[in-house]
Amino acid sequence: MNFELTEEQQLVRDTVRGFARDRVAPVAEELDREQRFPYDLVAELAELGLMGMTIPEEYGGAGADTVSYAIAVEELTRVDSSVAITVAAHHSLGTLPIYYFGNEEQKQQWLPDLASGRKLAAFGLTEPGAGSDAGATRTTAELRDGRWTIDGSKMFITNAGTDITACVTITARTGEDEISNIVVPNGTSGYAISPPMHKLGWRASDTRELSFDSCTVPEANLLGPRGEGFRQFLAILDGGRISVAAMGVGLAQGAYDLAYSYALEREQFGKPIAKFQAVRFQLADMATEIEAGRALVYKAAWLKDQGGEFARDAAMAKLYTGELSHRVVNAALQIHGGYGYMEESAIARLYRDQKILEIGEGTNEVQRMVIARHLGL
């Protein structure tokens, strides 16, 4: 086994780490406080080739491997989760379904703008009554005279309502016991997008409720074969869990970085608190768990790159790093004491951003269901 990064992967790490430090960190608190979408940063990320990392160059992407993509998401989350989820949701959920399941005409229509980052895409799966039970979707799409008529709603959809959003791919019932995926362009008549939702964390990311009232799109907007939507979105979620797991590692690393620096600077009883066993043992445990989580994430990404079966490992990585980030950020805030409880501190923002990592892309409970199924239980 070789645990060393390639030169290309190391370049990705260095580039994204520098961008996160120099461009994201100075504005992260302001974006969070104002709940403002980071259009300027997205444009710069697009210029760096980070908005369509694993999409082939022929479609406008960077042609990178999944490990490089996981590294990029990790480094962004180390500084700010809102920017990281904007990249991850656009790439893994918005763009990859069209690349994986679209025909050549659909790829040529959508991918050049999406993979380059000129436009964003979203994936509409969750509904008010269908969260963990995604197969319980109630949104319908009826084929009439060569057009799909869509009725229903979607909830908690990322990147759906920005000024540069091009489309959303939604799951809909196209028949009895039949779910399909359909691409709906923004601006389509009958497609309404709510104002931005107010969230505990990820405040600078775009999250909306979507509603469809006799919304019609061409029959050609069907993504892949009719009735294959359930299988498609399960495959998309498997891959998406790698990026969310990378976010868990990145947030934990960011929280550790803050706690480590604070523990060296903060003095009590005549010496830095890092000298006290209670604090340095916590930091030692954090560092150990972060390394374990990173290994899980990189293994899942590597398996995907090798064309191997990675769904179990992705679920394990997502479960472990979600709970890991919870433990680390909680201990990191404790080390900060009262200062960490103030909104002016970066650790407070990381604390709020963390919880969704145990909910989004499948709750911890769903991950355990997936893992148990792969174990034959």
Side-chain angles (χ1 to χ4, degrees), residues 211-252:
S211 40
F212 305 88
D213 184 6
S214 297
C215 170
T216 65
V217 298
E219 182 179 1
N221 284 31
L222 179 72
L223 199 62
R226 178 171 175 168
E228 287 293 300
F230 191 82
R231 179 188 65 81
Q232 291 172 355
F233 76 66
L234 287 181
I236 289 300
L237 291 177
D238 285 339
R241 283 168 185 150
I242 295 175
S243 60
V244 177
M247 290 188 68
V249 172
L251 189 141

Side-chain angles (χ1 to χ4, degrees), residues 280-293:
R280 57 193 178 117
F281 276 20
Q282 285 192 77
L283 292 169
D285 287 344
M286 290 183 205
T288 302
E289 287 204 67
I290 291 168
E291 284 299 316

Side-chain angles (χ1 to χ4, degrees), residues 73-74 77 81 84-85 88 202 242-252 357:
V73 172
E74 175 189 344
T77 316
S81 293
I85 191 57
W202 289 6
I242 295 175
S243 60
V244 177
M247 290 188 68
V249 172
L251 189 141
L357 297 177

Side-chain angles (χ1 to χ4, degrees), residues 18-35:
F19 178 85
R21 179 190 62 239
D22 299 337
R23 294 291 297 119
V24 180
V27 297
E29 188 276 332
E30 177 183 313
L31 291 171
D32 175 82
R33 174 167 34 84
E34 298 179 358
Q35 302 185 44

Side-chain angles (χ1 to χ4, degrees), residues 93-140:
L93 302 182
T95 306
L96 283 183
I98 296 174
Y99 172 62
Y100 286 151
F101 308 119
N103 56 40
E104 190 59 30
E105 183 178 349
Q106 290 169 328
K107 292 178 182 179
Q108 293 293 342
Q109 177 183 359
W110 296 108
L111 290 183
D113 277 344
L114 299 181
S116 66
R118 291 190 294 269
K119 296 288 185 179
L120 296 180
F123 189 70
L125 174 62
T126 302
E127 296 185 0
S132 294
D133 185 10
T137 181
R138 291 292 174 263
T139 297
T140 62

Side-chain angles (χ1 to χ4, degrees), residues 263-277:
L264 290 176
E265 296 170 1
R266 175 68 166 170
E267 290 193 359
Q268 291 289 275
F269 305 103
K271 59 183 177 181
I273 61 173
K275 297 296 184 181
F276 293 99
Q277 179 173 299

